[in-house]
Amino acid sequence: MNREEKEKQVAWLRDQFVDVKALFLTDFRSLTVSEMNQLRVELRKSGGQFKVLKNTLTRLAYADTDVAAIAPHLSGPRAAAWTKSDDSVPAVAKALVDFAKKNPKLVLVGGVLGGKVVGASEMDALSKLPSREELLSRLLGTMKAPIGAFAGVLAAIPRSLLFALKAIEQQKAGGASETAASE
């Protein structure tokens, strides 16, 4: 790789790292090319990207960004998965953790979430978070429940009145027929 290609690579990485919401480092040794491609596909489905990093170029690229916190983890062969969307952070973490469970050759090293360093155990906890859509539906259900209960109470008042009037009508109809039978 000549100097011009390296500069382009650093510029591209810097562009990726400036707006990154989460970046997770992995040790990818012993993974085959097909396994790496399978991981890339799974990460793209969840809104993330995956790239094998050159450590020297990565150090140049993340200067003055939130990603700079990964410096201690950037030794040896590393690949990174990242996302620029808040919504897809748990999905990217889940894709990595699930792939690592199926493929023990992929080792989760750590990462950066919102400028803070996270370890492999925190990545596992992050992967267990529900999706944004699921959280929104739970919130909507929680907000809707009291309104539904209140509507049920309001509907019960006329219904109870109707049952009471029907009982009175049946009682009077039963009493009137008894009076007519006794005469």
Side-chain angles (χ1 to χ4, degrees):
M1 194 183 272
N2 65 25
R3 184 173 178 85
E4 186 178 309
E5 290 172 343
K6 289 178 182 177
E7 287 174 356
K8 285 181 183 178
Q9 184 69 27
V10 168
W12 182 83
L13 281 172
R14 181 153 186 78
D15 182 51
Q16 296 298 308
F17 292 163
V18 168
D19 297 328
V20 76
K21 301 299 179 191
L23 180 133
F24 306 110
L25 290 177
T26 64
D27 185 344
F28 63 94
R29 282 182 270 206
S30 303
L31 283 179
T32 65
V33 173
S34 64
E35 290 169 336
M36 293 276 279
N37 287 335
Q38 182 184 3
L39 177 58
R40 280 188 177 96
V41 167
E42 289 179 26
L43 286 168
R44 271 189 225 116
K45 286 179 187 175
S46 55
Q49 295 184 21
F50 187 75
K51 181 159 181 59
V52 174
L53 302 175
K54 286 189 69 83
N55 294 343
T56 307
L57 299 181
T58 303
R59 283 188 186 94
L60 292 172
Y62 68 57
D64 301 325
T65 67
D66 289 343
V67 178
I70 64 167
H73 298 293
L74 205 58
S75 62
R78 295 290 184 250
W82 69 88
T83 180
K84 292 184 173 190
S85 167
D86 284 327
D87 298 342
S88 60
V89 171
V92 169
K94 182 172 178 51
L96 277 173
V97 169
D98 289 349
F99 191 86
K101 285 179 182 174
K102 288 185 254 174
N103 245 324
K105 293 183 269 183
L106 180 72
V107 178
L108 304 176
V109 176
V112 176
L113 178 62
K116 297 189 169 93
V117 177
V118 294
S121 62
E122 291 159 315
M123 288 171 60
D124 186 43
L126 185 61
S127 73
K128 294 176 182 169
L129 286 177
S131 68
R132 181 176 191 270
E133 291 78 22
E134 186 177 342
L135 287 173
L136 287 174
S137 67
R138 287 182 186 179
L139 176 64
L140 182 62
T142 303
M143 291 170 54
K144 188 178 149 187
I147 296 169
F150 183 65
V153 168
L154 288 178
I157 294 170
R159 188 172 37 239
S160 298
L161 177 63
L162 183 63
F163 288 142
L165 291 174
K166 189 70 169 172
I168 292 170
E169 176 187 357
Q170 288 175 350
Q171 186 180 26
K172 286 189 177 184
S177 62
E178 288 177 12
T179 310
S182 63
E183 293 179 3

